[in-house]
Amino acid sequence: MGSGSPRASARRPEPNPMGSGSPRASARRPEPNPMGSGSPRASARRPEPWWSRAVFYQVYPRSFADSDGDGVGDLDGLTDRLDHLVELGVDAIWLNPVTVSPMADHGYDVADPRDVDPLFGGMVALERLIAAAHQLGIRVTMDVVPNHTSSAHPWFQAALAAGPGGTARDRYLFRDGRGPDGTVPPNNWKSVFGGPAWTRVVEPNGKPGQWYLHLFDTEQPDLNWDNPEVFADFEKTLRFWLERGVDGFRIDVAHGMAKPPDLPDSPDLGIAVLQQSDDDPRFNHPSVHAIHRDIRTVMDRYPGAVSIGEVWVQDNARWAEYLRPDELHLGFNFRLARTDFDATEIRDAVENSLAAAAIEAATPTWTLANHDVGRVVTRYGGGEVGLARARAMAMVMLALPGVVFLYNGQELGLPDVELPDEALQDPTWERSGHTERGRDGCRVPIPWCGDNPPFGFSTHADTWLPMPPEWAALSVEEQSIDPDSTLSFFRHALQLRRGRDEFDGTDVQWLTAPKDTLIFRRGGGLMCALNAGDRPLALPAGELLLASAPLADHTLPPDSAAWLV
Ligand code: TEU
């Protein structure tokens, strides 16, 4: 890292090991890209890329910090709060969509992929964020949404206006309906958010006409990736952001995009709202890989830039196909996010995730929470127990080789919030006929300081989702002064992970451990023990680096974890 970086010199005694120098980054950044072949951990043959053991911090921009007092978070709010990320010790931000959008799915409905929505502060605010983050040695990756656009996108508006048969409709998946009057949707697919995946349009002549496919909300029409214009435009989008200094992308629904020819009916798989399965014809069609190869060709022109796919595929072999050397750099693996607090299941999930990545010699990735799957504390039972388990599992995740994703608020131990019906905004709530509450509960704004909502998140009392009064105790300010807080714990854990050689190596060796517990050892010498049972676990001999709960006589209480060397 450049010696002039305030973060490196003042706060980071042990610079994060990075890979080889990037011509792209050094050309455009005041500070040279914090890389360098001098990394002690980079292999002699091939230096590790910067992201190979990075901690990514996911910022849900609506909920992070509001700078202009409208009750919705924005990019200047994030820029103002970057110190929090420096203190936490993360390497990169993953920014959920900030591009121009009517916000039917809070930005995943993109009307202009190459501009920033005024709600988030417009293009200048993103430029300020990128400059400030880079100055602090933090990289910025952003969401891109190739599977669909917003129905407000000019292409879709043109498709509606053009009527059937024209080239404008060929950028999307328009089809005639079935039945005598075309009143039956072209196939039986369901939307991931509930209800049919097809909506019928009113044609320019005022009559009901064709249907269009939308795997998500009605306002998110799926693009036709067989049309070469679609990739050409996506390439433009990737280059546009890379040229502006973005360090990479999280590719939304990276297993979508390609659809089976003729869009056949789906067998009734009984798939619930917000779920997918490997037999599901809506996703993971083999021709998606040609798209990823094309994307990689673009990425390779920008050395150091990373592509991270959202790949909801269970089968290891099929998941790994996305990580072939000419496809994605990284793929989200969601196994841990779907695993209960059960030692056997956790070990299975870890082994499976490692095995999946190993198929293509890819870097493993670990996720416990995000803006879709909910918060860890709640998933593990809520309250004190849920929090204890969330801290313990964070230690397991941070002890594993590869890349870790933290979801904003995870470092504060925030739970999901039970919101009143009238506050709900996720399209899932309406589309499921009010049977599925959707994902709003894990998207409530972050408490920064003070005794009452909005806790420094905004100057506006009416935040876009209401904040619970009891979050006063969970604010960043409150937790910063408490050495035993979850925030202090995360800061310490990330500092150790970044600075200690014992976290080196790519292997995970399982040691003998009593029922309902697990112990593994890393090549560098780190041992991680997890007690998911109900009796204390006697720890193996070694020096204690960190524990998620107080120890008594070198024994680990239930619902906790420890690192030893
Ligand atoms: O999610 C894709 C997706 O398929 C998820 O809805 C998934 O089924 C669910 O989270 C499993 O629990 C991405 C974004 O992450 C999500 O926020 C968007 O709503 C969606 O794409 C549409 O763009």
Side-chain angles (χ1 to χ4, degrees):
M1 198 172 271
S3 58
S5 158
R7 180 181 186 218
S9 52
R11 299 224 176 84
R12 285 197 163 183
E14 316 244 11
N16 208 24
M18 305 283 182
S20 65
S22 150
R24 160 187 161 260
S26 53
R28 285 179 298 110
R29 286 188 185 174
E31 292 294 325
N33 208 12
M35 298 190 166
S37 49
S39 160
R41 288 172 184 163
S43 92
R45 274 185 307 114
R46 203 166 48 128
E48 290 177 354
W50 65 265
W51 41 261
S52 63
R53 55 175 70 202
V55 175
F56 283 79
Y57 183 88
Q58 179 191 351
V59 173
Y60 197 68
R62 292 181 80 81
S63 301
F64 196 70
D66 170 22
S67 73
D68 62 1
D70 63 357
V72 180
D74 48 49
L75 291 166
D76 283 335
L78 168 56
T79 304
D80 291 345
R81 298 276 186 191
L82 282 176
D83 264 7
H84 175 63
L85 303 197
V86 174
E87 294 288 339
L88 185 58
V90 303
D91 302 289
I93 294 168
W94 152 31
L95 201 55
N96 285 106
V98 291
T99 39
V100 176
S101 165
M103 307 289 166
D105 188 21
H106 297 327
Y108 283 102
D109 47 323
V110 179
D112 182 351
R114 295 186 285 277
D115 198 0
V116 175
D117 200 279
L119 183 71
F120 296 124
M123 197 65 183
V124 286
L126 185 64
E127 284 165 358
R128 282 193 287 268
L129 170 68
I130 293 171
H134 284 174
Q135 196 67 39
L136 296 167
I138 297 177
R139 288 183 164 75
V140 180
T141 62
M142 64 190 287
D143 241 299
V144 284
V145 188
N147 181 69
H148 44 267
T149 69
S150 162
S151 51
H153 190 290
W155 275 4
F156 193 74
Q157 289 301 311
L160 290 182
T167 51
R169 289 226 166 153
D170 193 42
R171 296 181 183 126
Y172 294 92
L173 295 158
F174 279 87
R175 295 289 185 275
D176 293 331
R178 294 182 292 185
D181 302 316
T183 52
V184 182
N187 74 18
N188 67 356
W189 292 8
K190 298 264 179 284
S191 150
V192 172
F193 296 160
W198 295 91
T199 291
R200 194 171 195 189
V201 302
V202 176
E203 298 296 358
N205 64 11
K207 301 218 171 96
Q210 288 195 300
W211 299 71
Y212 67 90
L213 180 71
H214 52 88
L215 294 189
F216 296 90
D217 194 48
T218 318
E219 295 177 55
Q220 293 167 295
D222 279 53
L223 285 161
N224 173 18
W225 274 83
D226 289 334
N227 183 335
E229 273 188 78
V230 172
F231 178 74
D233 190 73
F234 190 60
E235 171 167 7
K236 246 174 146 177
T237 298
L238 297 176
R239 288 174 176 278
F240 179 89
W241 296 114
L242 292 166
E243 296 293 339
R244 276 156 188 79
V246 164
D247 298 289
F249 303 104
R250 179 266 194 188
I251 301 182
D252 188 57
V253 202
H255 60 314
M257 304 184 283
K259 310 291 188 299
D262 306 328
L263 304 174
D265 272 342
S266 164
D268 182 10
L269 300 167
I271 300 169
V273 168
L274 291 176
Q275 303 290 331
Q276 298 157 33
S277 98
D278 281 6
D279 318 318
D280 185 336
R282 297 175 301 176
F283 297 103
N284 196 27
H285 190 265
S287 58
V288 75
H289 296 288
I291 300 171
H292 284 294
R293 285 192 288 274
D294 288 346
I295 292 174
R296 182 58 177 263
T297 307
V298 178
M299 298 302 294
D300 282 345
R301 302 230 179 99
Y302 297 84
V306 64
S307 57
I308 313 161
E310 184 200 25
V311 182
W312 281 99
V313 173
Q314 270 295 107
D315 179 74
N316 284 349
R318 301 210 62 196
W319 180 87
E321 287 169 357
Y322 289 81
L323 282 308
R324 288 181 284 213
D326 56 353
E327 299 197 30
L328 293 162
H329 292 107
L330 293 170
F332 278 93
N333 187 309
F334 294 110
R335 278 184 202 277
L336 276 190
R338 289 282 192 232
T339 302
D340 290 338
F341 193 74
D342 174 282
T344 309
E345 288 182 31
I346 293 165
R347 179 173 166 166
D348 276 0
V350 169
E351 283 180 336
N352 254 298
S353 304
L354 290 169
I359 294 172
E360 290 298 337
T363 301
T365 67
W366 310 100
T367 301
L368 286 169
N370 67 27
H371 65 296
D372 291 329
V373 300
R375 292 197 174 277
V376 200
V377 173
T378 304
R379 199 171 66 245
Y380 291 153
E384 293 288 311
V385 169
L387 179 61
R389 292 175 173 176
R391 288 169 59 138
M393 274 308 288
M395 286 186 70
V396 170
M397 173 169 77
L398 289 164
L400 290 164
V403 172
V404 165
F405 294 92
L406 296 178
Y407 175 47
N408 58 194
Q410 190 173 351
E411 77 282 19
L412 304 176
L414 298 185
D416 287 337
V417 177
E418 281 181 32
L419 294 162
D421 291 2
E422 61 277 13
L424 298 180
Q425 305 201 17
D426 185 347
T428 305
W429 173 237
E430 288 302 326
R431 292 195 59 85
S432 68
H434 295 186
T435 57
E436 287 294 329
R437 301 188 72 73
R439 302 159 292 177
D440 296 307
C442 66
R443 298 173 176 180
V444 171
I446 302 292
W448 292 97
C449 56
D451 299 327
N452 296 298
F455 299 117
F457 163 73
S458 173
T459 52
H460 194 54
D462 199 11
T463 52
W464 78 276
L465 288 173
M467 302 173 71
E470 63 272 18
W471 278 13
L474 296 176
S475 76
V476 172
E477 182 183 59
E478 220 24 60
Q479 296 202 40
S480 289
I481 51 174
D482 174 3
D484 297 325
S485 70
T486 300
L487 177 57
S488 299
F489 159 78
F490 266 93
R491 286 177 179 166
H492 193 185
L494 264 61
Q495 187 189 28
L496 291 168
R497 182 186 190 273
R498 163 172 89 235
R500 306 265 323 201
D501 294 343
E502 290 90 347
F503 288 76
D504 279 357
T506 52
D507 61 318
V508 170
Q509 190 197 340
W510 299 93
L511 307 186
T512 311
K515 188 174 171 299
D516 298 329
T517 71
L518 52 86
I519 306 176
F520 61 87
R521 194 174 185 285
R522 294 283 304 281
L526 176 78
M527 272 185 295
C528 178
L530 173 78
N531 187 354
D534 50 18
R535 281 180 311 193
L537 166 69
L539 287 170
E543 178 203 338
L544 182 73
L545 277 188
L546 183 69
S548 65
L551 301 193
D553 298 332
H554 213 62
T555 62
L556 191 61
D559 300 323
S560 59
W563 288 345
L564 304 148
V565 292

